[in-house]
């Protein structure tokens, strides 16, 4: 599920690489990584976006940071296999990590910036790592109601406050602009992304993928045997209804948020 990463590299590879392939293309186009850019990737997971940035910044570099050691281990393995010499990964919480001041030309994040406990403090910290004139490019989910992968598969909305950390924390443009402005960014803009998310080649594969994810593990943990089987049956039916010639897809809406350091 796009908003619930477990700590397994295999889970992340499915979620963030196959599931979000079309979203990733939109983020890559918006980032416009330059040949000499020094790129910071927040919440990089197993590092697909970091590796893509490193390839585009052939004369520069890319640093991916994440709080999951297993995902970063997989990111390093994949980077080594691709023989990328200008990419690095660091276990770090971007909210408080002491980045070298003014050391990056571009900061990107693919669905990794919505979980900060104090978003103003977090983006202020990230901003200090960017040189004057550097750009911030975030891919974040729009509202729960606008994302079929959430409302259609988990009809009980997550019990999280609208202004608290969670997958939809930056869905409201007004609130997000206020946060980024308070953190010292300017020229905040929003571009809608309307692309489907991919769950698997068929309903059986999609169900297996969903049941590996943390959000569904938590949902099923409190159910007895009969209730769990009834819930699985509902999921199978929903996934079957969304089967296409090329796999199981659900509708989604997101924002690409851009901003600058003055």
């Amino acid at each position: 599920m796009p908003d619930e990463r477990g700590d397994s590299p295999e889970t992340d590879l499915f979620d963030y690489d196959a599931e979000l392939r079309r979203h990733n293309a939109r983020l890559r186009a918006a980032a416009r990584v330059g040949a000499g850019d020094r790129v910071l990737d927040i919440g990089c997971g197993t590092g697909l976006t970091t590796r893509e940035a490193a390839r585009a910044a052939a004369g520069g570099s890319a640093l991916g940071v994440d709080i999951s050691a297993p995902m970063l281990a997989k990111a390093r393995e994949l980077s080594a296999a691709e023989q990328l010499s200008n990419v690095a990964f660091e276990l770090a919480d971007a909210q408080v990590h002491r980045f070298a001041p003014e050391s990056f030309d571009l900061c990107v994040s693919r669905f990794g910036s919505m979980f900060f406990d104090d978003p103003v403090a977090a983006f202020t910290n990230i901003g200090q790592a960017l040189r004057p004139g550097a750009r911030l490019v975030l891919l974040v989910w729009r509202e729960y109601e606008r994302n079929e992968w959430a409302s259609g598969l988990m009809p009980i909305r997550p019990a999280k406050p609208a202004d608290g950390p969670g997958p939809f924390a930056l869905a409201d443009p007004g609130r997000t602009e206020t946060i980024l402005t308070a953190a010292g960014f300017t020229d905040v803009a929003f571009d809608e992304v309307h692309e489907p998310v991919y769950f698997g080649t068929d309903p059986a594969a999609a169900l297996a993928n969903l049941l590996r994810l943390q959000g569904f593990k938590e949902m099923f943990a409190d159910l007895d045997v009969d209730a769990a089987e009834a819930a699985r049956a509902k999921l199978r039916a929903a996934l079957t209804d969304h089967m296409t010639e090329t796999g199981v897809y659900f509708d989604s809406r997101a924002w690409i948020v851009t901003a600058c350091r003055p």
Side-chain angles (χ1 to χ4, degrees):
M1 197 171 191
D3 66 314
E4 299 288 353
R5 294 193 304 170
D7 209 30
S8 161
E10 291 77 11
T11 294
D12 187 66
L13 279 173
F14 170 78
D15 275 351
Y16 276 59
D17 294 350
E19 183 180 346
L20 301 174
R21 186 180 299 114
R22 299 188 188 187
H23 296 75
N24 196 65
R26 293 289 299 274
L27 177 64
R28 186 169 58 246
R32 305 191 315 275
V33 178
D37 280 348
R38 296 162 296 170
V39 184
L40 174 63
D41 186 3
I42 302 296
C44 67
T46 55
L48 175 64
T49 47
T50 321
R51 298 193 304 276
E52 290 181 340
R55 284 192 291 270
S61 62
L63 171 66
V65 299
D66 202 283
I67 59 173
S68 170
M71 290 181 184
L72 292 175
K74 187 66 175 181
R76 295 185 182 102
E77 176 187 328
L78 293 169
S79 296
E82 295 179 19
Q83 298 183 328
L84 292 170
S85 60
N86 65 335
V87 66
F89 297 94
E90 189 166 354
L91 183 67
D93 183 348
Q95 299 179 94
V96 296
H97 183 70
R98 292 187 177 182
F99 296 105
E102 299 185 2
S103 54
F104 298 98
D105 306 293
L106 171 67
C107 176
V108 300
S109 181
R110 182 183 64 176
F111 299 121
S113 62
M114 304 94 69
F115 303 94
F116 298 138
D117 293 321
D118 184 340
V120 173
F123 283 111
T124 298
N125 186 56
I126 292 167
Q128 292 172 348
L130 305 181
R131 65 165 178 79
R135 294 183 300 122
L136 178 73
V137 183
L138 311 175
L139 184 59
V140 304
W141 294 116
R142 292 201 63 180
E143 300 86 346
Y144 167 88
E145 294 81 7
R146 290 177 177 267
N147 279 284
E148 188 183 37
W149 60 262
S151 59
L153 290 174
M154 296 184 75
I156 300 176
R157 182 171 182 164
K160 297 178 181 179
D163 59 351
F168 310 106
L170 299 179
D172 180 74
R175 177 174 184 269
T176 300
E177 183 172 5
T178 297
I179 289 169
L180 294 177
T181 300
F185 288 91
T186 62
D187 302 320
V188 182
F190 299 82
D191 183 27
E192 186 179 45
V193 176
H194 183 195
E195 298 286 358
V197 294
Y198 170 78
F199 282 108
T201 54
D202 55 49
L207 180 62
N209 287 324
L210 289 177
L211 294 179
R212 296 207 318 267
L213 304 182
Q214 188 63 32
F216 284 90
K217 288 179 181 178
E218 293 173 355
M219 183 175 70
F220 277 86
D222 296 330
L223 301 179
D224 61 30
V225 175
D226 291 339
E229 181 51 41
R232 278 191 290 270
K234 289 183 179 180
L235 281 178
R236 290 190 200 99
L239 295 169
T240 299
D241 288 343
H242 287 77
M243 180 66 193
T244 72
E245 293 181 356
T246 56
V248 179
Y249 289 89
F250 279 74
D251 193 32
S252 80
R253 303 283 179 127
W255 292 121
I256 287 179
V257 185
T258 55
C260 292
R261 289 296 292 173

